[in-house]
Amino acid sequence: MAAKIEALPSTQSKVAKATPDHINEKIERETEARINTFKRKDPEAIKQRISELEQEWDTERVLEATMASFALSSSLLALTANKNWAYFTGAVSVFMLQHALQGWCPPLSLIRRQGVRTISEINLEKEALKDMLKDEHYPI
C-alpha cells in the first residue's frame, strides 16, 4: 500500500492550527465573554451586534490587505527609489504562498495577537447570538 501523503491543512482550520494555543484560548475566552454579555441584552442590541459581526474583518482579509499593501508599497519603492525594495516584495509573496499552503506566515502571529479572529470564530459568535433570538424570550 502506498504511503499516505499528509494533506495540507483545510482553509477553515489552518489559522487556528498555526496559532499558539494560548492565543486561540484567549480569543475563545473573549468570544465567550461577549456572548455571555449579550444574554442580558435586549433583542435590538443582539441584532446590532450581529450586524457588526457581519462587517468584522477576519484574519484572511486583514492578512490579504496588509500583505498586498506591503507588496504594492515595496514595488513602487523598487521602481522609484531603490531596486533593493524588490526583495521585500519577493518576501511578501513568499509569506503569502506559505500562508496559503501551510496556514502560517510571520505576520499571522502579530494579527492573531491583536485579537483578529478567523471567519469560523466570528461565525461562532454570530450563530450563538442568532440562537438567542430564536429563544422563546426573544421572538424574531
Side-chain angles (χ1 to χ4, degrees):
M1 183 181 255
K4 184 178 178 183
I5 298 173
E6 188 174 322
L8 297 173
S10 73
T11 301
Q12 291 182 335
S13 66
K14 69 181 182 179
V15 171
K17 285 181 180 180
T19 302
D21 288 341
H22 72 279
I23 296 173
N24 283 332
E25 290 165 2
K26 180 178 184 263
I27 290 171
E28 287 173 19
R29 283 191 309 272
E30 290 170 351
T31 299
E32 288 172 12
R34 271 192 300 277
I35 291 168
N36 287 331
T37 298
F38 279 89
K39 289 179 179 176
R40 297 180 296 277
K41 304 272 183 170
D42 63 74
E44 286 307 312
I46 295 171
K47 290 176 185 175
Q48 175 62 35
R49 179 63 184 153
I50 291 170
S51 179
E52 291 169 3
L53 290 169
E54 290 171 350
Q55 301 300 313
E56 185 174 333
W57 281 33
D58 64 274
T59 52
E60 298 298 314
R61 189 172 187 186
V62 169
L63 191 60
E64 290 165 358
T66 302
M67 299 301 264
S69 298
F70 287 163
L72 178 61
S73 299
S74 61
S75 294
L76 291 173
L77 287 167
L79 289 171
T80 60
N82 186 323
K83 287 189 258 183
N84 288 331
W85 279 102
Y87 293 116
F88 189 72
T89 304
V92 169
S93 299
V94 169
F95 289 161
M96 285 307 296
L97 180 60
Q98 181 180 19
H99 177 69
L101 296 176
Q102 298 175 335
W104 182 84
C105 66
L108 181 65
S109 297
L110 297 171
I111 290 168
R112 292 292 280 169
R113 276 183 171 70
Q114 292 176 354
V116 178
R117 302 186 291 175
T118 65
I119 194 68
S120 297
E121 292 164 337
I122 294 167
N123 284 338
L124 180 77
E125 181 178 344
K126 193 175 2 174
E127 292 306 315
L129 295 175
K130 286 180 179 179
D131 287 346
M132 283 182 210
L133 291 175
K134 291 177 186 174
D135 186 14
E136 61 194 59
H137 300 289
Y138 298 125
I140 297 177

